[in-house]
């Protein structure tokens, strides 16, 4: 197992030509459907992605700002549920801090909208006040708000200004100060816990609520290092990174000594696993993602070691099906939910958050596995024109019917296209755009699909729709975007926020030592060489098979098998 840097996306290695499949020697309907994507089609979908973003964004600004979210059916704003404090579905996320605008800042920059980005930054600075008695989830506040503020700040202070002139007048590190303010209000979550694993929630004004539960999910406690680490290195204050890393190390210590797996819910006082399901979806997904991304960002070998061990354990205990994605006989590969102590399958469902796992596999260079993981979720999408929150792969039916326009499948589609440049993934993106426009477009935005079978909708547009779903769709088709041209220099957070990977953020300013010249690091099998002085990785594009670049990423017979396995052609 080896680690690839973000620049494994070998855009310079191959240029896909139209109708290359004709040289394959067969006339396969899958090849005909997916084998080409014209420049005219690409430009049409680029505009469609842009139109989708601005329809949601402009209506949020018109009808909802300064509320946290837009209700796209009634065309009004949504904030915390003050009448029902126990409504964590709303209150964990909405803190009355202009969430959608904050979460969307770097999307505006990536799209090159200088004027609106500068205006939005000023609105955020003028509007946000964290001195409010709102109880929010530490994880959501970190990835959505702190991550967004830091990303926009780093875009502003970038001397090269690759996206255009994104520097507001009289900018004085305002977004960094806001990120620091919010993070300081989250620090009480790390106090008074016997394990060092943080409480899941804090009150922005008063700290940990007296009735706060002593249980948290693994992802919620272990997905803070990237944002907290960047904040520490920008401010010179080690407290944020040290607490986030301590939580990860404690979770690592509590993993099963039999299987090496983690549960999904842990008691922060005793270290007892209250939820012993181990999987790649909700409760665990971004924990693994951040082990790898923290290594890429900061170069800490412990992060790489933990990720490598975790990945091997996951493959051994969670993976079912034939050995290879594109070879051999047997059932399609799938990663299932198991008992953390025994590795035995505990249920027959997977959830929509697991669709992001393909993107992690791309980052670690396991392209063939990523292709198969992605194909599973794309087949489910084709069945429903959406992703149900939970899908029972045994019954070939959804268990939880709603789809809140999550980005995970789009994210993996983008990463796989960058890695392979296969037109198949441009078709996937078009299917997603067309489905969302057909079934989720409301009076003044895009609504959560309440029932993927009936296509009923409910009145909520989550901030991640603009922050991630639209962003990845736009980048999928904007081949000339700076992010795609300089991919070695950037990485996305779990909320889709753009961070530069550079020497500045690898330094620990609180350590009294001269800035050292980092040695070149080479992965185990020499597949990728990363020069941490420049953060430029020289990827061995030969690891991507020729057929993956030029023909279907997954052979037709296996793709058809996957479609049958999820019941694509059954009555829904």
């Amino acid at each position: 197992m080896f680690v690839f840097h973000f620049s494994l996306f070998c855009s310079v290695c191959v240029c896909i030509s139209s109708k290359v499949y004709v040289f394959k020697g067969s006339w396969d309907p899958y090849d005909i459907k997916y084998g080409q994507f014209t420049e005219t089609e690409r430009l049409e979908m680029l505009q469609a992605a842009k139109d989708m973003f601005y329809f949601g964004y402009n209506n949020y600004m018109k009808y909802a700002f300064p509320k946290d979210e837009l209700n796209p059916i009634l065309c009004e704003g949504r904030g915390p549920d003050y009448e029902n404090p126990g409504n964590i579905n709303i209150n964990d996320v909405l803190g009355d801090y202009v969430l959608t605008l904050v979460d969307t800042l770097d999307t505006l920059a990536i799209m090159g909208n200088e004027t609106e980005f500068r205006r939005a930054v000023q609105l955020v600075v003028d509007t946000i006040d964290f001195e409010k008695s709102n109880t929010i989830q530490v994880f959501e506040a970190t990835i959505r708000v702190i991550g967004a503020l830091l990303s926009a700040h780093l875009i502003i202070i970038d001397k090269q200004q690759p996206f255009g002139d994104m520097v507001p007048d009289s900018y004085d590190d305002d977004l960094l100060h806001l990120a620091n303010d919010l993070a300081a209000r989250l620090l009480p979550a790390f106090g008074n816990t016997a394990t060092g694993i943080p409480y899941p929630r804090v009150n922005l004004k008063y700290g940990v609520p007296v009735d706060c539960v002593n249980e948290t999910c693994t992802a919620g406690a272990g997905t803070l290092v990237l944002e907290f680490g960047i904040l520490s290195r920008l401010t010179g204050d080690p407290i944020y990174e040290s607490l986030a890393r301590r939580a990860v190390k404690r979770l690592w210590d509590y993993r099963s000594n039999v299987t090496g797996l983690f549960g999904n819910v842990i008691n922060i006082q005793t270290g007892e696993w209250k939820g012993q399901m181990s999987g790649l979806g909700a409760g665990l997904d971004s924990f693994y993602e951040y082990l790898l991304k923290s290594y890429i960002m900061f170069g800490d070998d412990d992060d790489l070691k933990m990720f490598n061990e975790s990945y091997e354990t996951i493959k051994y205990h969670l993976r079912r099906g034939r050995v290879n994605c594109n070879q051999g006989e047997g059932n399609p590969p799938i990663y299932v939910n198991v008992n953390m102590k025994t590795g035995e399958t505990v249920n027959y469902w997977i959830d929509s958050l697991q669709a992001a796992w393909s993107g992690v596999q791309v980052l670690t260079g396991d392209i063939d596995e990523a292709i198969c993981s992605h194909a599973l979720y794309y087949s489910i999408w084709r069945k429903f024109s959406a992703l149900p929150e939970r899908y029972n792969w045994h019954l070939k039916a959804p268990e939880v019917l709603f789809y809140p326009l999550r980005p995970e499948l789009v994210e993996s589609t983008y990463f796989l296209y960058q890695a392979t440049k296969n037109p198949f993934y441009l078709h996937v993106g078009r299917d997603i755009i067309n489905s969302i426009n057909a079934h989720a477009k409301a009076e003044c935005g895009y609504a959560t699909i309440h029932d993927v079978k009936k296509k009923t909708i409910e009145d909520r547009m989550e901030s991640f729709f603009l922050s991630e779903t639209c962003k990845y769709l736009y980048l999928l088709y904007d081949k000339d975007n700076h992010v795609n041209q300089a991919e070695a220099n950037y990485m996305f957070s779990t909320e889709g926020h753009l961070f530069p990977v550079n020497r500045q953020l690898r330094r620990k300013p609180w350590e009294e030592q001269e800035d050292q010249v980092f040695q070149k690091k080479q992965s185990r099998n020499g597949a990728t060489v990363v020069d941490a002085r420049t953060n430029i990785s020289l990827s061995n594009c030969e690891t991507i098979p020729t057929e993956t670049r030029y023909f279907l990423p997954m052979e037709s017979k296996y793709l058809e098998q996957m479609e049958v396995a999820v019941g694509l052609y059954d009555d829904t």
Side-chain angles (χ1 to χ4, degrees):
M1 215 288 293
F2 52 90
V3 169
F4 266 46
H5 193 287
F6 184 70
S7 66
L8 73 84
F9 298 156
C10 303
S11 57
V12 298
C13 292
V14 60
C15 179
I16 303 298
S17 301
S18 297
K19 300 184 179 179
V20 177
Y21 63 85
V22 300
F23 298 103
K24 191 175 180 181
S26 63
W27 293 93
D28 189 304
Y30 288 94
D31 287 324
I32 295 171
K33 179 177 180 179
Y34 295 110
Q36 64 169 327
F37 205 88
T38 68
E39 181 67 5
T40 297
E41 290 175 308
R42 183 189 70 81
L43 292 173
E44 287 176 353
M45 298 319 298
L46 177 62
Q47 186 62 48
K50 189 174 183 179
D51 291 345
M52 177 179 285
F53 170 79
Y54 280 110
F55 183 69
Y57 176 79
N58 289 336
N59 280 297
Y60 165 77
M61 295 303 296
K62 180 178 180 179
Y63 295 109
F65 175 83
K67 296 287 188 178
D68 285 316
E69 289 180 348
L70 169 68
N71 288 339
I73 299 175
L74 295 179
C75 301
E76 61 186 18
R78 177 197 293 261
D81 186 352
Y82 291 111
E83 295 182 0
N84 181 14
N87 184 2
I88 60 175
N89 180 51
I90 298 296
N91 294 331
D92 270 1
V93 177
L94 309 188
D96 193 16
Y97 35 40
V98 205
L99 176 62
T100 294
L101 184 60
V102 173
D103 214 2
T104 304
L105 289 175
D106 63 333
T107 309
L108 290 168
I110 287 171
M111 290 186 171
N113 194 335
E114 303 169 337
T115 302
E116 186 60 20
F117 176 82
R118 295 195 300 263
R119 185 178 84 95
V121 168
Q122 195 58 54
L123 285 172
V124 167
V125 172
D126 293 341
T127 305
I128 282 188
D129 178 10
F130 294 122
E131 184 67 11
K132 296 175 179 177
S133 183
N134 293 330
T135 299
I136 48 85
Q137 192 186 84
V138 173
F139 167 72
E140 294 289 0
T142 298
I143 65 169
R144 298 205 199 197
V145 184
I146 294 177
L149 293 169
L150 292 175
S151 177
H153 170 72
L154 289 165
I155 288 171
I156 291 170
I157 66 172
D158 186 341
K159 294 180 180 179
Q160 302 299 319
Q161 288 295 290
F163 301 106
D165 182 5
M166 300 294 167
V167 184
D169 293 338
S170 305
Y171 183 76
D172 188 22
D173 294 342
D174 304 283
L175 299 183
L176 178 60
H177 296 320
L178 285 172
N180 194 31
D181 181 9
L182 177 55
R185 296 171 187 271
L186 302 183
L187 290 185
F190 295 86
N192 297 320
T193 75
T195 64
I197 300 171
Y199 284 93
R201 298 176 182 89
V202 297
N203 183 285
L204 291 174
K205 194 172 184 178
Y206 300 113
V208 177
V210 293
D211 59 348
C212 189
V213 297
N214 284 315
E215 296 175 1
T216 190
C217 69
T218 305
T223 310
L224 308 173
V225 173
L226 202 59
E227 289 83 1
F228 275 34
I230 290 173
L231 180 60
S232 278
R233 290 161 196 247
L234 288 175
T235 62
D237 186 346
I239 186 64
Y240 302 112
E241 182 172 353
S242 64
L243 290 175
R245 286 193 176 278
R246 184 181 69 176
V248 171
K249 294 294 177 61
R250 295 315 306 274
L251 287 168
W252 184 259
D253 292 340
Y254 288 122
R255 73 194 189 282
S256 170
N257 58 7
V258 176
T259 64
L261 294 171
F262 299 83
N264 60 337
V265 179
I266 193 169
N267 185 297
I268 64 173
Q269 304 297 351
T270 66
E272 178 186 0
W273 290 102
K274 307 302 290 186
Q276 296 186 7
M277 188 189 80
S278 191
L280 297 173
L284 280 152
D285 54 342
S286 53
F287 173 75
Y288 299 119
E289 175 189 355
Y290 266 34
L291 292 179
L292 178 57
K293 289 185 175 180
S294 295
Y295 168 71
I296 295 172
M297 178 63 68
F298 304 124
D300 190 319
D301 288 333
D302 286 342
D303 294 330
L304 176 60
K305 180 177 180 294
M306 287 188 288
F307 176 81
N308 283 344
E309 290 187 21
S310 295
Y311 193 61
E312 292 170 2
T313 299
I314 286 166
K315 274 196 165 183
Y316 184 81
H317 289 288
L318 274 64
R319 192 183 186 281
R320 305 288 189 267
R322 64 176 173 272
V323 175
N324 296 308
C325 177
N326 269 311
Q327 296 179 31
E329 303 296 327
N331 293 323
I334 184 174
Y335 290 82
V336 303
N337 300 318
V338 304
N339 182 287
M340 64 171 292
K341 295 183 178 180
T342 66
E344 296 178 352
T345 304
V346 294
N347 54 51
Y348 296 108
W349 55 260
I350 54 176
D351 67 44
S352 61
L353 290 174
Q354 187 175 323
W357 181 243
S358 304
V360 177
Q361 291 178 308
V362 169
L363 280 181
T364 197
D366 205 349
I367 303 298
D368 198 53
E369 281 288 293
I371 287 168
C372 244
S373 299
H374 176 274
L376 170 63
Y377 278 92
Y378 176 50
S379 297
I380 298 172
W381 181 282
R382 289 187 61 206
K383 182 177 174 69
F384 299 104
S385 296
L387 275 187
E389 194 72 351
R390 283 186 185 176
Y391 182 78
N392 188 307
W393 48 268
H394 183 68
L395 299 176
K396 303 181 183 180
E399 286 194 0
V400 180
L401 293 168
F402 71 91
Y403 170 60
L405 310 184
R406 291 197 187 279
E408 284 75 18
L409 178 60
V410 183
E411 175 185 358
S412 293
T413 301
Y414 167 67
F415 287 169
L416 273 164
Y417 179 69
Q418 288 298 102
T420 67
K421 287 297 185 287
N422 195 301
F424 175 86
Y425 297 106
L426 299 179
H427 286 275
V428 175
R430 180 164 63 185
D431 283 352
I432 292 172
I433 289 175
N434 290 342
S435 295
I436 292 176
N437 275 324
H439 303 299
K441 194 170 185 179
E443 180 68 22
C444 56
Y446 289 89
T448 292
I449 296 178
H450 179 73
D451 185 325
V452 298
K453 298 173 71 174
K454 298 178 181 178
K455 301 300 186 293
T456 52
I457 58 176
E458 59 183 82
D459 204 9
R460 185 177 186 184
M461 187 177 81
E462 297 238 24
S463 68
F464 53 65
F465 174 68
L466 298 180
S467 173
E468 299 182 80
T469 307
C470 290
K471 178 186 293 165
Y472 286 126
L473 285 169
Y474 181 83
L475 285 172
L476 178 64
Y477 296 104
D478 188 12
K479 65 183 180 68
D480 298 321
N481 194 281
H482 174 70
V483 174
N484 293 331
Q485 294 296 312
E487 55 202 12
N489 301 323
Y490 294 101
M491 185 173 63
F492 290 99
S493 74
T494 195
E495 183 70 9
H497 293 307
L498 188 71
F499 292 130
V501 182
N502 57 41
R503 196 171 74 180
Q504 176 194 2
L505 295 179
R506 288 201 170 193
R507 292 181 57 244
K508 298 179 180 179
W510 54 87
E511 292 184 353
E512 295 183 0
Q513 61 182 28
E514 295 183 358
D515 182 23
Q516 62 181 349
V517 177
F518 292 95
Q519 299 297 317
K520 292 181 178 180
K521 292 186 178 182
Q522 188 168 0
S523 60
R524 289 184 184 177
N525 66 349
T528 302
V529 177
V530 180
D531 187 340
R533 295 170 298 178
T534 62
N535 295 291
I536 294 176
S537 299
L538 303 176
S539 301
N540 181 1
C541 294
E542 296 305 316
T543 58
I544 301 176
T546 301
E547 59 270 20
T548 300
R549 306 176 195 167
Y550 290 97
F551 304 122
L552 284 176
M554 192 173 185
E555 287 190 21
S556 297
K557 63 178 181 180
Y558 295 128
L559 184 58
E560 183 177 14
Q561 182 195 34
M562 185 75 78
E563 294 171 348
V564 172
V566 303
L568 176 57
Y569 305 110
D570 300 343
D571 292 334
T572 58

